[in-house]
Amino acid sequence: MITDPHDAPRPFLAHLPAGERLPIPEDAAPSWEVFPYEPSEGGGLRVRPLDAPELPEPPRHGEAGPAECGECGRPDADFVWTDEHWRLRAYGQPHGLPAVLLLNPRGHHDLLDLPPARAAELGPVLQRVERAVLGLGGIGRVHVSRWGDGAAHLHLWLIARPEGQRQLLGSTLPLWMDLLPPLPDDVRADTLRRIAAALAADGGTAHV
């Protein structure tokens, strides 16, 4: 049993190319329309021009209801862990962080219309997931974020920052997801298995 988190294995740190300059993938954040900076003619970066408002805003995915919501249609087998009311899945794209997870209510709700019983559960469920991620060892912080601009089905991001990687502090952490070399498949699979097992020990079902 690990009694000191500093004694924990850090397999996700072994693949990081510390000291090397990383390439920017073509589909990384600087290519996104919402990224606020662009290359300037003289080198360096400048702020992008601000677009005119788009009103009314286009509907988000699933805005029309559960029949058109891909999240509602996912089977439990697509998730890391589930229980009667909540489901936790892994971020589906390759990434170089210890863990990137999304927590959803099973029912088709956004934060504003989350039933009172589910809202009361949300804090304790987030605490359970954070404890499971911290239990991996070698985790500096677990960032919890909710944007909600892409999909109407509530999804909260839990993003683990490697301990000691202070260059990844704060709001920059999500930008590093697609810049760092992807986790090896075996490390990612073992990470998800350990998170699922830790959650299932207190209830619910592990699916990995």
Side-chain angles (χ1 to χ4, degrees):
M1 178 180 294
I2 296 168
T3 57
D4 183 343
H6 294 282
D7 294 334
R10 294 172 173 80
F12 41 82
L13 292 181
H15 81 289
L16 295 180
E20 298 180 19
R21 190 174 297 279
L22 301 174
I24 299 177
E26 289 184 4
D27 58 350
S31 70
W32 303 347
E33 292 182 1
V34 295
F35 191 71
Y37 307 108
E38 63 181 2
S40 66
E41 294 177 0
L45 295 174
R46 63 183 180 186
V47 178
R48 292 182 190 269
L50 192 62
D51 293 339
E54 184 179 354
L55 297 172
E57 291 193 359
R60 300 171 298 170
H61 175 78
E63 199 90 65
E68 298 183 16
C69 175
E71 209 59 41
C72 288
R74 289 179 185 268
D76 279 5
D78 284 359
F79 290 79
V80 173
W81 168 88
T82 64
D83 71 3
E84 184 180 1
H85 300 300
W86 297 94
R87 303 201 291 180
L88 181 75
R89 66 179 174 89
Y91 179 58
Q93 301 300 316
H95 64 82
L97 296 176
V100 180
L101 304 159
L102 294 100
L103 178 68
N104 309 11
R106 187 178 287 276
H108 186 76
H109 304 290
D110 204 346
L111 186 61
L112 191 61
D113 68 341
L114 196 63
R118 301 291 79 77
E121 295 167 355
L122 179 56
V125 172
L126 285 171
Q127 288 178 322
R128 286 180 64 189
V129 179
E130 181 168 2
R131 279 194 296 268
V133 175
L134 290 173
L136 297 170
I139 306 298
R141 293 285 183 273
V142 180
H143 295 198
V144 179
S145 300
R146 181 259 183 175
W147 291 286
D149 282 330
H153 194 128
L154 176 62
H155 52 289
L156 293 105
W157 294 75
L158 292 101
I159 307 173
R161 177 178 64 77
E163 186 178 23
Q165 296 293 147
R166 295 184 55 78
Q167 193 176 5
L168 280 58
L169 289 178
S171 60
T172 66
L173 184 61
L175 299 179
W176 285 97
M177 283 197 300
D178 55 1
L179 297 176
L180 297 174
L183 283 179
D185 290 344
D186 61 333
V187 173
R188 183 175 186 272
D190 182 63
T191 294
L192 296 178
R193 179 191 59 77
R194 292 171 62 193
I195 291 171
L199 287 165
D202 293 323
T205 303
H207 297 282
V208 294

